[in-house]
């Protein structure tokens, strides 16, 4: 079994699977059970300033999207930060950390946007024994209206300023949690780095309305006839989160900024993908909220088996391995030509590829009287739609047309050499080829 | 109750009431909402779907399943019923394993088809439970059409004609409408008086009068019908039955399977239906299987189904053969009846082994029997009919017979399988042809 031990900005944990700051980490009872189940670390549910805690709604706070068999695909919430008193939380954190010294315990914080508030809270948590702080600049609902959470996270200058305060008033490692509700995630990441952050974590939840009740004409979840946007998370958000992680990883300015990957991590494979794109570890919320703490056992065995298969002895060998292969569209090799190929023996003759290609793409699939489906190489642009809609995995494959061979569609021989848009004669910005 | 499985002779109440009602409950219990969504999600929404091609009534199966998947079962029902007005009954009785589900691509892929029949039932049940009849009549045409026979073919034809604005009078010899839906289909396929409810629901279209106790050739004449109506549609099914033509056939206890089934269907309480201890069913089709299975469900101790050729030649589908076997029916193949033995009532029946081309082998055996059901095929019979072709009414196109102005469809007409769904398709298509002819 591969060694999954993780060192994230100096914070050690037996594995790279942390629970994200959320209900699973809202109290001692939960966190102890999480550690017993095998989680490597937790980011404690976000704490606010001293004084009366926030209150949550008393109607439904979650909404969801399901597959036909009620598999939960996406979750949305309008929960706020912890609604328990600061004193109780701090006492519990201290007691848990004392009993689980080998696990990572990070405290998530969100207080008003002034230096005193931050220096106060940092003082209060100093003697808990916690391993670090995470600044919640991401919460998209409820707190933003009060000038916290996403209201800070959407303004890079504020991120930088607050991060600077935190580094000034505390020696703890500092992770800045980013909101995805912005246009370019590199900007807040750069700001965090400038402010002195040791790492960023992303993504927090995405502004969302899960559905609308078409009888009451109210968004879900509905409270007394009204609803509000919530934060979206779970499997549905993973592709968005992966891209944001990759954007930061390949941005020269932030390339060395450690990241904790969050957003839809449900299986070991999701975790490995985040890590391959540069995340040093991952945080999980919805998968635990859906299936309970035990899911971590599958993540541990799956990642470990994968690493054994690959011959990786440490998770650091996986981290960032896919980053060099993430590029801009303009650098993609236009001389790489493929054609769809249908395996007639595997084909069950549903005709989906035909309908998709015929109706919405390039009329490149032929359907015979007796339902034999085949690709017309002279029409196929290799868009991959048929592969994506075919219900049989591996039935349609993309086969490369080797350099030197004729591309039936263009009537041209496939060039040997790499050639991208920048060099393409159709590119108006390309002066040399236009001669 | 004093009788049990071992009681000799033909008696009622071999099983306790609760077991009987269990035995005669739904063969495929209806899907609940969630099950329907899960089942519907398995459909790939095939292009030019093979399942729809295999459906004799051409129901747009991918469309109706998608309508279920999106939470609109009433719309799904309308998709079904616009092609097949008896979609509710067909969902229960179609041998889907040899029709739509046989060619479902998921059957091809993994041997587990989308459960089209169950989904069809879910949709049609939902609509019917809401008491909705989704079709309206066109403006009245003033044309009057006679339909003879109120089985699936006749009802389907009548509904389509009424929808087109014609007036329809349906004549049927039996006291209730429905044909074999009411008198023939196995009890466990159509529970809770569904056949009668479906007829009532169908008639909500208006413009259809049903006259029961009216028999063609016995009071009603085809000439008179022709004279009094603009067109005639014959849908009398196959009212006769084939005889065994063996010695002793007339002994007590030897019955036509269809009569046994019909009595069972009409019994107000299955506990009052009498059944033998040792029952022998002769035949290899759906009727034979239904009789054998229901004999077993009534509590007969031994039920043997004896067919003269090999298993692969049986008309009953593999699913039905397996159903029979699972209920404890013993299937004996390659044996023809020779003689019914007994003193007044049947006691035993002698068979001779025959090979697949029916040549006798000279080897015989006997089975104890206090009841024998004959299920070796139904016949048309009757006089005053249009020209026949191999014992059925000859038709061309959409059911046109040799007599102008007279159409025929369903079991009584040549061509097509003898199935409820085929009868519905033929009735519908004849109605379209009658309409086109009358309005030309
Ligand atoms: C026991 C049994 C089980 C079956 N099970 C299935 C099954 O599970 N699935 C399936 O798809 N098919 C099944 N079938 C076949 C199916 O029932 C028939 O194919 C279908 O009913 C044919 O419809 P029809 O309208 O042509 O005839 P029928 O349903 O036979 O209706 C004919 C009607 O005409 C009336 N009639 C007859 N003679 C006259 C007359 N002279 N004058 C006036 N009215 C007359 C009859 O009373 C009857 O109402 C079964 C058949 C039998 C016998
Ligand atoms: C009910 C709920 C409450 C949350 N509360 C917080 C919070 O207090 N602080 C925080 O930083 N993130 C909070 N989050 C966001 C999660 O920590 C995490 O970033 C997000 O759910 C994406 O991960 P996932 O797809 O694994 O759920 C919350 C999420 C949920 C579902
Ligand atoms: S999950 Fe638990 S707390 Fe939430 S609504 Fe259900 S029972 Fe109540
Ligand atoms: S989608 Fe796949 S299985 Fe369906 S017809 Fe096309 S190749 Fe065959
Ligand atoms: S063949 Fe099967 S999967 Fe395809 S449309 Fe029909 S029911 Fe759906």
């Amino acid at each position: 079994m591969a060694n999954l031990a993780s060192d994230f900005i100096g914070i050690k944990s037996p594995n790279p699977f942390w629970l994200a700051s959320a209900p699973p980490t809202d109290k001692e009872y939960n966190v102890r059970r999480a550690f017993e189940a095998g989680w490597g670390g937790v980011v404690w549910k976000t704490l606010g300033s001293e004084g009366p805690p926030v209150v949550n709604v008393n109607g439904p706070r979650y909404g969801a999207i399901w597959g036909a068999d009620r598999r939960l695909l996406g979750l949305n919430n309008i929960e706020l930060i912890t609604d328990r008193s600061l004193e109780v939380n701090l006492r519990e954190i201290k007691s848990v950390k004392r009993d689980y010294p080998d696990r990572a315990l990070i405290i998530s914080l969100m207080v008003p946007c002034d230096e005193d508030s931050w220096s106060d809270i940092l003082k209060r948590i100093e003697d808990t024994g916690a391993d670090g702080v995470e600044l919640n600049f991401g919460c998209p609902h409820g707190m933003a209206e009060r000038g916290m959470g996403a209201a800070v996270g959407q303004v890079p200058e504020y991120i930088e300023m607050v991060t600077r305060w935190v580094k000034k008033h505390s020696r703890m490692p500092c992770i800045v949690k980013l909101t995805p509700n912005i246009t370019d995630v590199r900007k807040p990441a750069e700001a965090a780095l400038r402010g002195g952050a040791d790492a960023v974590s992303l993504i927090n939840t995405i502004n969302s309305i899960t559905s609308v009740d078409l009888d009451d004409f109210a968004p879900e979840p509905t409270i007394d006839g009204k609803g509000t946007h919530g934060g979206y998370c779970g499997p549905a958000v993973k592709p968005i989160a992966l891209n944001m992680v990759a954007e930061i990883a390949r941005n020269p300015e932030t390339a060395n900024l450690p990241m904790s990957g969050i957003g839809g991590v449900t299986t070991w494979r999701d975790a490995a993908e985040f890590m391959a794109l540069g995340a040093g570890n991952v945080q999980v919320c919805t998968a635990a909220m859906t299936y309970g703490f035990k899911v971590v056992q599958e993540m541990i065995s799956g990642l470990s088996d994968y690493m054994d298969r690959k011959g990786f002895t440490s998770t650091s060998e996986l981290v960032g391995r896919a980053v060099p292969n993430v590029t801009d569209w303009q650098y993609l090799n236009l001389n790489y030509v493929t054609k769809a190929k249908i395996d007639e023996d595997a084909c069950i003759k549903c005709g989906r590829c035909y309908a998709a290609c015929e109706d919405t793409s390039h009329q490149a699939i032929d359907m015979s009287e007796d339902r034999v489906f085949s690709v017309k190489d002279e029409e196929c642009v290799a868009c991959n739609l048929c592969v994506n809609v075919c219900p049989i995995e591996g039935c349609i494959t993309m086969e490369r047309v080797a350099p030197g061979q004729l591309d039936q569609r263009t009537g041209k021989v496939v060039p040997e050499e790499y050639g991208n848009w920048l060099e393409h004669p159709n590119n108006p910005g390309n002066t040399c080829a236009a001669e | 109750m004093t009788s049990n499985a071992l009681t000799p002779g033909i008696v009622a109440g071999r099983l306790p009431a609760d077991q009987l009602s269990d035995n005669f409950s739904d063969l495929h219990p209806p899907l609940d909402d969630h099950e329907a969504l899960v089942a519907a999600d398995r459909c790939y929404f095939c292009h030019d779907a093979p399942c729809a091609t295999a459906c004799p009534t051409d129901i747009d199966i991918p469309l109706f399943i998608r309508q279920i998947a999106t939470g609109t079962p009433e719309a799904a029902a309308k998709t079904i019923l616009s092609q097949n007005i008896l979609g509710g009954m067909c969902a229960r009785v179609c041998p889907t394993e040899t029709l739509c589900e046989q060619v479902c691509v998921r059957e091809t892929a993994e041997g587990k088809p989308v459960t089209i029949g169950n989904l069809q039932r879910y949709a049609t049940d939902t609509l019917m439970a809401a008491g909705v009849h989704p079709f309206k009549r066109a403006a009245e045409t003033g044309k009057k059409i006679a339909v003879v026979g109120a089985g699936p073919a006749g009802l389907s034809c009548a509904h389509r004609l009424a929808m087109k604005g014609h007036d329809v009078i349906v004549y049927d010899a039996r006291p209730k409408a429905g044909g074999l839906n009411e008198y023939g289909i196995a009890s466990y396929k159509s529970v809770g008086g569904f056949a009668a409810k479906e007829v009532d629901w169908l008639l909500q279209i208006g413009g259809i009068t049903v006259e029961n106790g009216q028999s063609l050739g016995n009071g009603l004449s085809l000439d008179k019908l022709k004279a009094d109506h603009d067109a005639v549609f014959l849908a009398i099914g196959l009212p006769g039955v084939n005889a065994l033509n063996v010695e002793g056939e007339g002994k007590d206890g030897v019955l036509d399977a269809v009569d046994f089934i019909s009595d069972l269907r009409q019994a107000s309480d299955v506990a009052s239906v009498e059944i033998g201890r040792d029952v022998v069913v002769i035949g290899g089709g759906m009727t034979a299987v239904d009789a054998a299975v229901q004999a077993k469900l009534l509590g007969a101790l031994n039920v043997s189904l004896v067919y003269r050729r090999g298993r692969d030649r049986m008309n009953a589908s593999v699913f039905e053969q397996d159903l029979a076997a699972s209920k404890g029916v013993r299937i004996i193949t390659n044996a023809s009846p020779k003689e019914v033995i007994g003193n007044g009532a049947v006691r035993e029946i002698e068979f001779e082994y025959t090979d697949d081309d029916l040549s006798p082998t000279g080897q015989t055996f006997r089975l104890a029997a206090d009841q024998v059901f004959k299920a070796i095929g139904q016949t048309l019979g009757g006089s005053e009919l249009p020209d026949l072709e191999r014992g059925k009414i000859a038709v061309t196109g959409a059911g046109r017979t040799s007599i102008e102005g007279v159409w025929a469809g369903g079991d009584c007409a040549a061509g097509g399988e003898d199935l409820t769904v085929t009868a519905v398709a033929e009735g519908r298509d004849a109605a379209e042809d009658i309409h086109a002819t009358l309005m030309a």
Side-chain angles (χ1 to χ4, degrees):
Chain A
M1 172 156 166
N3 178 10
L4 297 184
S6 156
D7 180 338
F8 185 74
I9 55 169
I11 303 170
K12 301 213 169 24
S13 57
N15 62 54
F17 306 113
W18 292 6
L19 283 168
S21 172
T25 61
D26 196 11
K27 53 169 125 61
E28 177 171 3
Y29 179 82
N30 292 7
V31 174
R32 281 183 185 274
R33 284 167 50 84
F35 284 159
E36 286 307 314
W39 289 90
V42 302
V43 182
W44 200 274
K45 173 77 179 172
T46 306
L47 308 182
S49 304
E50 205 173 348
V54 302
V55 295
N56 273 300
V57 293
N58 296 303
R61 62 180 84 160
Y62 308 135
I65 298 289
W66 299 272
D69 207 0
R70 292 285 285 192
R71 178 173 285 269
L72 191 140
L73 302 176
L75 184 74
N76 146 303
N77 82 87
I78 53 169
E79 179 176 290
L80 304 183
I81 63 174
T82 186
D83 54 14
R84 303 178 331 129
S85 87
L86 181 63
E87 290 68 27
V88 173
N89 274 305
L90 293 177
R91 195 166 62 235
E92 292 184 359
I93 290 171
K94 197 167 176 178
S95 131
V96 175
K97 182 64 202 182
R98 191 186 53 225
D99 292 349
Y100 294 89
D102 66 324
R103 309 301 169 96
L105 200 164
I106 313 299
I107 299 177
S108 170
L109 296 173
M110 183 196 288
V111 295
C113 209
D114 58 77
E115 190 165 353
D116 287 348
S117 299
W118 285 94
S119 69
D120 276 359
I121 187 79
L122 287 164
K123 261 188 228 98
R124 297 291 313 260
I125 66 173
E126 216 153 52
D127 69 339
T128 55
D131 300 295
V133 291
E134 185 179 80
L135 316 187
N136 179 354
F137 294 156
C139 185
H141 45 257
M143 305 312 288
E145 289 92 319
R146 308 175 199 186
M148 291 180 267
V152 177
Q154 287 168 338
V155 185
E157 292 74 22
Y158 292 173
I159 295 178
E160 183 180 342
M161 174 178 73
V162 175
T163 310
R164 213 178 285 284
W165 292 336
V166 171
K167 288 310 287 184
K168 180 168 139 200
H169 295 288
S170 159
R171 281 168 294 116
M172 284 184 162
C174 166
I175 305 168
V176 172
K177 187 166 181 177
L178 304 180
T179 174
N181 300 313
I182 38 86
T183 38
D184 183 351
V185 78
R186 291 172 301 185
K187 298 289 179 275
E190 287 165 8
L193 184 63
R194 281 196 303 275
D198 299 284
V200 289
S201 57
L202 68 159
I203 58 174
N204 209 310
T205 55
I206 304 175
N207 285 339
S208 64
I209 290 175
T210 41
S211 58
V212 176
D213 185 315
L214 288 178
D215 295 313
D216 298 340
F217 298 101
E220 307 264 19
T222 309
I223 295 177
D224 194 21
K226 307 274 186 223
T228 184
H229 74 83
Y232 202 39
C233 51
V237 311
K238 184 185 109 178
I240 298 166
L242 282 180
N243 176 57
M244 291 188 163
V245 165
E247 285 292 286
I248 294 172
R250 66 195 197 88
N251 175 19
E253 268 196 60
T254 51
N256 295 318
L257 179 61
M259 282 183 289
S260 183
I262 319 173
V265 175
T266 310
T267 67
W268 73 268
R269 187 179 288 277
D270 300 326
E273 291 175 17
F274 271 95
M275 292 168 78
L277 284 176
N281 71 2
V282 294
Q283 298 183 29
V284 176
C285 169
T286 305
M289 288 181 70
T290 310
Y291 304 108
F293 289 140
K294 193 176 166 178
V295 285
V296 74
Q297 291 171 14
E298 167 276 321
M299 296 182 188
I300 289 170
S301 68
L303 184 65
S304 153
D305 289 354
Y306 168 75
M307 285 176 43
D308 284 345
R309 256 190 335 270
K310 288 282 167 194
F312 299 157
T313 52
S314 145
T315 53
S316 61
E317 287 179 67
L318 167 61
V319 174
R321 231 182 158 87
V323 175
N325 293 328
V326 185
T327 184
D328 290 339
W329 189 91
Q330 59 191 3
Y331 298 118
L332 296 175
N333 184 2
L334 296 174
N335 293 338
Y336 179 81
V337 179
T338 64
K339 300 283 174 193
K341 186 156 175 283
I342 295 174
D343 175 350
E344 262 181 46
D345 294 330
C347 170
I348 60 168
K349 305 186 188 303
C350 69
R352 280 169 77 157
C353 56
Y354 175 82
C357 192
E358 190 69 14
D359 287 358
T360 70
S361 296
H362 301 86
Q363 297 75 48
I365 292 180
D366 185 64
M367 171 179 165
S368 73
E369 284 275 300
D370 56 342
R371 299 184 78 82
V372 175
F373 296 86
S374 51
V375 175
K376 298 182 228 165
D377 282 354
E378 63 282 13
E379 303 295 341
C380 176
V381 303
C383 72
N384 215 35
L385 182 64
C386 57
V387 174
N388 297 142
V389 302
C390 176
I392 304 298
E393 206 179 324
C395 173
I396 311 184
T397 45
M398 278 294 162
E399 304 289 330
R400 181 166 190 189
V401 182
Q405 302 283 95
L406 188 73
D407 178 347
Q408 307 268 10
R409 183 175 69 86
T410 56
K412 292 193 182 128
V413 170
V414 176
E416 297 279 345
E417 69 283 0
Y418 162 92
N420 66 35
W421 172 244
L422 296 176
E423 304 143 10
H424 197 276
N426 288 17
N427 183 349
N430 178 358
T431 43
C432 55
E435 310 303 291
Chain B
M1 188 191 65
T2 48
S3 29
N4 60 35
L6 292 173
T7 312
I10 306 178
V11 298
R14 287 184 182 273
L15 295 175
D18 53 344
Q19 192 177 345
L20 273 177
S21 83
D22 249 20
N23 283 357
F24 284 91
S25 65
D26 248 316
L27 178 61
H28 303 289
L31 299 175
D32 68 23
D33 292 344
H34 179 73
E35 288 168 327
L37 286 181
V38 173
D41 191 51
R42 293 189 68 238
C43 174
Y44 289 148
F45 201 68
C46 294
H47 172 76
D48 189 12
C51 54
T53 310
C55 170
T57 53
D58 291 306
I59 293 172
D60 190 339
I61 294 166
L63 178 60
F64 96 68
I65 293 181
R66 193 169 169 81
Q67 288 167 319
I68 292 175
T70 58
T72 55
E74 285 92 351
K78 209 173 159 191
T79 300
I80 295 161
L81 297 163
S82 61
Q83 285 295 107
N84 179 335
I85 196 65
L86 296 180
M89 183 58 83
C90 286
R92 291 162 164 79
V93 306
C94 271
T96 50
E97 64 279 5
T98 63
L99 298 169
C100 52
E101 291 179 19
Q102 182 180 43
V103 299
C104 171
V105 299
R106 299 209 70 165
E107 170 67 29
T108 322
E110 64 217 76
K112 265 168 99 195
V114 174
T115 51
I116 301 168
N118 289 349
L119 285 164
Q120 179 169 323
R121 173 166 175 192
Y122 170 77
T124 50
D125 279 5
T126 306
L127 185 96
M128 286 173 70
V132 177
H133 187 93
F135 303 103
K136 287 205 171 58
R137 292 191 74 191
E140 303 225 3
T141 60
K143 306 276 184 199
K144 205 165 90 180
I145 295 140
V147 168
V148 189
L155 289 170
S156 157
C157 181
H159 185 273
R160 186 54 64 108
L161 288 169
M163 205 164 89
K164 300 276 186 193
H166 308 296
D167 279 329
V168 187
I169 302 119
V170 183
Y171 303 94
D172 197 292
R174 297 253 206 177
K176 288 190 200 168
L180 290 173
N181 286 0
E182 177 62 43
Y183 293 99
I185 294 298
S187 313
Y188 46 81
K189 292 185 188 169
S190 169
V191 303
F194 180 76
K197 285 184 197 154
E198 189 179 39
V199 171
D200 291 344
W201 170 87
L202 178 145
L203 294 176
Q204 286 175 25
I205 182 89
I208 304 173
T209 317
V210 180
E211 300 207 0
N212 291 106
Q214 299 283 340
S215 179
L216 180 70
N218 188 6
L220 280 184
S221 90
L222 186 55
D223 285 342
K224 181 91 168 56
L225 285 174
K226 268 189 60 180
D228 294 347
H229 303 82
D230 295 291
V232 179
F233 179 64
L234 298 176
I236 55 175
L238 297 171
V241 286
N242 286 321
L244 290 176
N245 295 322
V246 300
E247 207 177 311
E249 185 168 358
K251 290 192 196 302
D252 287 351
V254 182
L255 303 169
D256 288 325
V258 287
D259 290 339
F260 159 65
I261 291 169
S262 152
D263 289 349
L264 178 61
R265 282 293 304 275
Q266 298 307 309
S268 51
D269 178 8
V270 280
S272 68
V273 178
E274 298 182 331
I275 193 72
R277 181 184 66 183
D278 302 298
V279 176
V280 174
V281 183
I282 301 172
M286 218 179 263
T287 307
V289 168
D290 284 1
V293 168
Q294 292 180 107
K296 196 73 202 167
L297 297 180
L298 282 171
L301 183 64
N302 294 305
V303 178
S304 312
L305 185 155
V306 189
Y307 177 55
R308 58 188 179 154
R309 298 184 211 257
R311 261 216 190 207
D312 50 326
R313 298 284 293 272
M314 282 175 76
N315 266 334
S317 69
V318 173
F319 171 82
E320 287 166 321
Q321 296 176 30
D322 290 350
L323 176 72
S326 77
K327 299 293 179 196
V329 173
R330 179 179 169 213
I331 298 179
I332 301 171
T333 58
N334 295 93
S336 286
K338 296 270 302 174
E339 187 186 350
V340 179
I341 299 149
N343 186 8
V346 54
R347 183 166 40 82
E348 296 186 300
I349 172 162
E350 182 166 283
F351 291 90
E352 177 173 10
Y353 282 117
T354 47
D355 54 23
D356 275 356
D357 50 20
L358 298 181
S359 19
T361 59
Q363 299 165 43
T364 60
F365 66 93
R366 290 182 178 193
L367 292 177
D370 35 34
Q371 217 170 14
V372 174
F373 295 133
K374 299 180 284 181
I376 55 168
Q378 284 99 263
T379 58
L380 180 55
S383 52
E384 247 205 288
L385 295 171
D387 291 350
L388 303 188
E389 174 191 332
R390 274 191 271 137
K392 293 187 168 197
I393 300 171
V395 291
T396 53
R400 295 182 183 208
T401 69
S402 60
I403 304 174
E404 207 183 315
V406 179
W407 280 256
D411 285 1
C412 70
E417 280 188 272
D418 287 349
L419 294 175
T420 309
V421 65
T422 316
V424 173
E426 290 173 4
R428 175 198 69 193
D429 294 347
E432 292 288 347
D433 197 41
I434 292 168
H435 173 73
T437 307
L438 295 186
M439 306 309 284

